[in-house]
Amino acid sequence: MLEGYHVAKVEIIEMGIAILGLALIYSYPVFPFFPLALVAIASSFIPHELAHKYVAKNIGLEAGFRLSPFYFLLSIVVCLLTGGIVKLGLAGAAVVHGWVAPGDEGQ
């Protein structure tokens, strides 16, 4: 079913960092909720990002998750500076490479 679909080691590492960081952000300042935040974020974040990758692959493009260090750190700083009132989920993005045929974009 998923033949030819490969998740690179760098994607796994960067997704792991993003998930841990987002779980810390969303459990701050009540850290006992960290395990719940970790499960909730991992169970939604991983399928969401892989869906971007597999849809792109389906139409002949290459894609992969990339951590955005600047926005990731910005999310942490904003959370800390506001005492956890403002929480941004700016960890990274699915970066897509390739040429899109007319009619394929947005699918």
Side-chain angles (χ1 to χ4, degrees):
M1 177 176 153
L2 294 177
E3 291 177 23
Y5 292 92
H6 172 73
V7 179
K9 186 176 180 179
V10 68
E11 284 182 88
I12 295 169
I13 292 168
E14 291 185 3
M15 267 195 227
I17 293 168
I19 290 166
L20 288 172
L22 290 172
L24 284 170
I25 289 169
Y26 284 101
S27 64
Y28 181 80
V30 187
F31 288 119
F33 288 134
F34 176 75
L36 177 62
L38 187 62
V39 169
I41 290 169
S43 64
S44 58
F45 187 82
I46 294 170
H48 174 87
E49 293 303 331
L50 290 179
H52 286 297
K53 180 182 184 79
Y54 296 146
V55 167
K57 185 78 170 167
N58 249 359
I59 59 173
L61 304 172
E62 291 298 320
F65 179 79
R66 293 294 175 260
L67 186 70
S68 175
F70 174 78
Y71 289 110
F72 184 60
L73 290 175
L74 178 67
S75 297
I76 293 168
V77 169
V78 167
C79 182
L80 293 174
L81 289 177
T82 63
I85 294 171
V86 177
K87 300 176 186 223
L88 305 175
L90 305 173
V95 179
V96 180
H97 304 277
W99 184 80
V100 179
D104 281 344
E105 68 275 343
Q107 293 188 12

